Amino acid sequence: MKLLSVIIPCYNSQDYMKNCIESLLLARDDIELIIVNDGSVDQTAEIADNYANMHPSKIKVIHQPNGGHGQAINTGLKHATGLYFKVVDSDDWVDTRSYLKILDTLNDLIDRKQYIDLMISNFVYEKEGAKYKKVMKYTSVIPKDKVFTWDDTKPFRKGQYLMMHSLIYRTQLLKEIRLNLPSHTFYVDNLYVYQPLTRVERLYYLDVDFYRYFIGRDDQSVNEKVMIDRIDQQLKVNKLMVDYIDLESIQNEKLQQYLFHQLEIVTTISSILLICSRKRENLEKKKELLQYIKERDRKLFRKLRYGFLGQLTNLPSWFGRQISMGAYKISRRIFGFN
């Protein structure tokens, strides 16, 4: 068994996938890279196969018809043999020193028989053209360099949340919950973070800037204009998150608090994108989203609608929507996201 399986979903990634793969290749035998070619029509398949031929003990390549990011992760999980599981998108990369420290820490924990469900590390917004690179850190809310539980955590700040880039899950945990992300759907990384957390009990935080999250391509799925054009998929994921967990059934209060925080962030993003589109039909979709939540869980609806972020994104009239968009733009500058 390998220590770590790293899944690299690729779709038409010929221009940048080499940088990603090279950052993950190390002169050690306890890692495996699983490149999932998701129906690419450029040179992605050829590049992936060349790497597999050069490093047959470390790299697997799986070719599949296009199924989207979620289906690529599902395929990677099916073929993963590592004790732990990491997803690295093909336009991103990792820091080598941090990578080595993560692998050494995981090995040390195993030697001491301290098995964890989730390792957390920092990620860096590598924003095109930005002089200042925002680092998402967690030192203020979770202990570092020790195994801990949800009881040891503090409340996360509004702009501070876990993303796929932060996480390394225990592979068997993902298989036990039968993680199956929807195909042909963008923004499933929110589900990838959210769903397994219900089973995570033992965590470890390593304060290293491991994952480099590139933002800047015009066609990127997190580009604001692209997200507005694909708003129905954002709403689909938002609703799936609402449906997946009855938060009141979560016994651990700190975990319940965090899961609500994650759902609140995603719902706020949905709402602000619908406002930013400046389309009447999307304002109706915003009402429909709230109604959907209300019909499924009235208590959850009240917390989302009448909390600080809910009130900020539901100010009445054109003037209120201008205030909402202004707050969003200020937050974007402060926290460094797209």
Side-chain angles (χ1 to χ4, degrees), residues 38 73 94 126 147 154 159 192 211 214 216 222 251 302 321:
D38 187 43
I73 294 174
V94 302
E126 292 283 351
V147 178
K154 298 177 182 178
Y192 177 81
Y211 195 106
F214 179 76
V222 294
Q251 297 299 311
R302 288 194 295 270
R321 291 192 292 274

Side-chain angles (χ1 to χ4, degrees), residues 64-125:
Q64 66 177 29
N66 181 254
H69 192 247
Q71 190 58 47
I73 294 174
N74 295 339
T75 299
L77 179 60
K78 182 179 178 181
H79 290 85
T81 65
L83 187 59
Y84 291 96
F85 187 91
K86 177 71 181 173
V87 179
V88 178
D89 286 338
S90 59
D91 53 351
D92 300 330
W93 62 96
V94 302
D95 175 74
T96 301
R97 288 185 180 180
S98 301
Y99 188 21
L100 289 168
K101 189 167 184 180
I102 282 173
L103 294 172
D104 289 344
T105 302
L106 287 173
N107 269 318
D108 181 61
L109 288 169
I110 292 167
D111 288 343
R112 291 189 280 127
K113 299 190 181 335
Q114 291 189 316
Y115 296 98
I116 58 172
D117 299 317
L118 175 63
M119 173 170 277
I120 301 169
S121 57
N122 308 329
F123 67 91
V124 181
Y125 286 101

Side-chain angles (χ1 to χ4, degrees), residues 238-296:
N238 201 154
K239 291 174 181 178
L240 286 170
M241 290 176 69
V242 171
D243 293 342
Y244 186 76
I245 302 172
D246 173 11
L247 291 181
E248 291 297 309
S249 70
I250 303 297
Q251 297 299 311
N252 187 287
E253 185 177 341
K254 295 285 187 70
L255 174 57
Q256 183 187 113
Q257 184 182 58
Y258 180 76
L259 291 170
F260 172 77
H261 175 75
Q262 190 88 27
L263 180 57
E264 182 183 38
I265 290 290
V266 172
T267 305
T268 300
I269 291 170
S270 298
S271 298
I272 204 68
L273 289 171
L274 289 165
I275 292 171
C276 287
S277 73
R278 302 176 187 272
K279 294 181 179 179
R280 184 178 299 276
E281 65 190 81
N282 281 343
L283 293 179
E284 288 301 315
K285 289 179 181 179
K286 183 169 170 291
K287 293 178 183 178
E288 290 169 6
L289 174 62
L290 286 174
Q291 184 61 30
Y292 183 92
I293 298 170
K294 186 176 183 179
E295 289 174 357
R296 276 150 183 77

